[in-house]
Amino acid sequence: MEYVLTADSLTKKYRQFKALDHLSLHIPKGAIYGMVGKNGAGKTTLIRVICGLQDATEGEYILYGKKNTDKDIHKSRRRMGAVVETPSIYLGMTAEENLKEQYRILGMPSFEGIKELLELAGLEDTGKKKAKHFSLGMRQRLGIAIALCGQPDFLVLDEPVNGLDPQGIIEIRELILKLNREQNITFLISSHILDELSRLATHYGFVDGGRMVKELSAKELEEACRKCVRVEVSDVKALSRVLDQMGLDYNVVSHTQADIFARVNLTELIHALDHENCQVLTASERDESLEGYFISLIGGANHE
């Protein structure tokens, strides 16, 4: 698999505090990589390090085949665009003026492509309206348009839908999907709005305490979060024997509970368990969400 960005044991210390603690990650080319973590988990620090805004204390990352210690790492960074924390826009300028200013900063020879960027971001009709009068969603879309100046093929977005109303969230989602599908732009998106992230991401990285707890694809996550029937019984070993005999896929959750990943004939199950002197105490359908998976992964009550 070809990767746009990999990191190996990245560490960032602030005196005695480790914002990143030997974190590793792998972002495949063409992916929408959702980085999941509570506030303070290290997501923004990681983004600032890979964008070159801060240096790592230890470890390394490789961006488009270049190590962060290589002299020409800046060539790889030219292929990146980023919106970190809040969009970097000039509030006293129009959308078009903001894009022209970014072109000048990048040293681009002409303003070719600005009209297309405005249309892509849905800002082609803003005219002389100053950015300070834009809605939060419009500012976020302008920030993404600015990040697209220079035609990067890797975009890093830090909490892109934070504070947006439902319509603004939909607009950002559609823009990200369009850029990914039509222009094959790879995304790294940090977000704590997990329901929205689940509508976008093809891959996930779960971060906690500055560490990468788990990486998996959307397909693998779907398997982990699939529907099941959770059964509570008096003897889980007896339940396991019966489920094995019935050829059903299951996972033992505790000494009294198991999740059964199949349509279950409860009458048949209860009858079979009765022969094993095992009682069914409760049975309920479950469909774990991304949020539920995240909480169970990092330990729930210890991370409120």
Side-chain angles (χ1 to χ4, degrees):
M1 185 178 291
E2 184 179 354
Y3 294 103
V4 167
L5 173 71
T6 61
D8 182 22
S9 298
L10 268 188
T11 300
K12 178 63 179 177
K13 294 180 182 177
Y14 298 98
R15 294 186 179 178
Q16 300 303 313
F17 173 68
K18 285 185 179 179
L20 298 178
D21 187 5
H22 295 88
L23 182 144
S24 298
L25 88 164
H26 308 80
I27 302 179
K29 183 179 179 181
I32 299 177
Y33 187 103
M35 186 160 54
V36 181
K38 60 186 177 64
N39 291 336
K43 303 189 302 295
T44 298
T45 300
L46 174 63
I47 286 173
R48 293 181 68 84
V49 168
I50 64 174
C51 287
L53 300 174
Q54 293 180 337
D55 292 327
T57 309
E58 298 173 29
E60 67 176 23
Y61 61 88
I62 299 174
L63 178 64
Y64 285 110
K66 300 289 183 183
K67 289 185 180 180
N68 57 299
T69 52
D70 289 350
K71 291 182 179 179
D72 54 353
I73 183 65
H74 63 278
K75 293 180 180 178
S76 291
R77 288 213 182 95
R78 286 176 187 163
R79 300 178 65 177
M80 289 179 66
V83 181
V84 184
E85 296 177 301
T86 56
S88 298
I89 60 180
Y90 296 98
L91 296 177
M93 292 183 178
T94 66
E96 183 177 353
E97 288 168 346
N98 267 280
L99 292 179
K100 285 181 176 179
E101 187 61 26
Q102 184 64 11
Y103 268 50
R104 294 186 188 101
I105 290 169
L106 294 174
M108 298 179 69
S110 74
F111 293 138
E112 185 180 354
I114 284 181
K115 180 183 177 182
E116 288 75 15
L117 282 175
L118 289 171
E119 290 175 354
L120 184 65
L123 299 170
E124 69 274 18
D125 296 326
T126 54
K128 295 183 179 180
K129 187 176 183 178
K130 306 294 185 186
K132 62 185 175 184
H133 300 302
F134 286 5
S135 67
L136 285 177
M138 291 170 69
R139 290 184 191 182
Q140 195 66 269
R141 282 184 279 128
L142 177 56
I144 293 175
I146 290 170
L148 287 168
C149 292
Q151 298 182 315
D153 46 12
F154 179 35
L155 276 187
V156 179
L157 305 179
D158 188 14
E159 301 284 358
V161 299
N162 197 23
L164 301 188
D165 61 21
Q167 182 59 35
I169 291 174
I170 291 170
E171 290 170 354
I172 294 297
R173 181 205 310 157
E174 290 178 346
L175 178 56
I176 290 170
L177 289 172
K178 184 176 183 179
L179 291 168
N180 178 254
R181 291 168 180 170
E182 296 181 8
Q183 300 187 24
N184 200 32
I185 291 177
T186 303
F187 281 88
L188 168 59
I189 301 175
S190 159
S191 182
H192 67 277
I193 304 177
L194 304 188
D195 179 60
E196 179 57 28
L197 197 58
S198 68
R199 301 169 189 262
L200 290 167
T202 62
H203 295 76
Y204 294 89
F206 294 88
V207 180
D208 188 52
R211 289 178 173 269
M212 182 63 71
V213 179
K214 193 175 186 64
E215 288 186 297
L216 73 173
S217 68
K219 185 177 180 180
E220 290 169 329
L221 180 65
E222 187 178 339
E223 284 291 312
C225 295
R226 58 186 169 160
K227 289 183 179 180
C228 66
V229 176
R230 176 159 291 185
V231 181
E232 184 179 7
V233 295
S234 58
D235 184 354
V236 78
K237 290 183 179 179
L239 175 63
S240 296
R241 288 195 297 271
V242 168
L243 293 176
D244 285 336
Q245 291 168 7
M246 297 174 73
L248 297 179
D249 186 14
Y250 68 94
N251 179 51
V252 174
V253 178
S254 69
H255 64 284
T256 60
Q257 294 179 322
D259 289 337
I260 306 172
F261 301 100
R263 291 183 66 85
V264 182
N265 185 321
L266 285 176
T267 302
E268 183 181 340
L269 178 63
I270 291 169
H271 183 70
L273 288 171
D274 188 50
H275 285 289
E276 298 280 345
N277 295 316
C278 176
Q279 291 182 310
V280 176
L281 305 177
T282 62
S284 59
E285 283 194 345
R286 290 171 58 87
D287 184 7
E288 191 171 34
S289 64
L290 173 57
E291 185 173 0
Y293 180 82
F294 171 63
I295 291 171
S296 64
L297 188 65
I298 66 168
N302 296 324
H303 294 80
E304 293 180 356

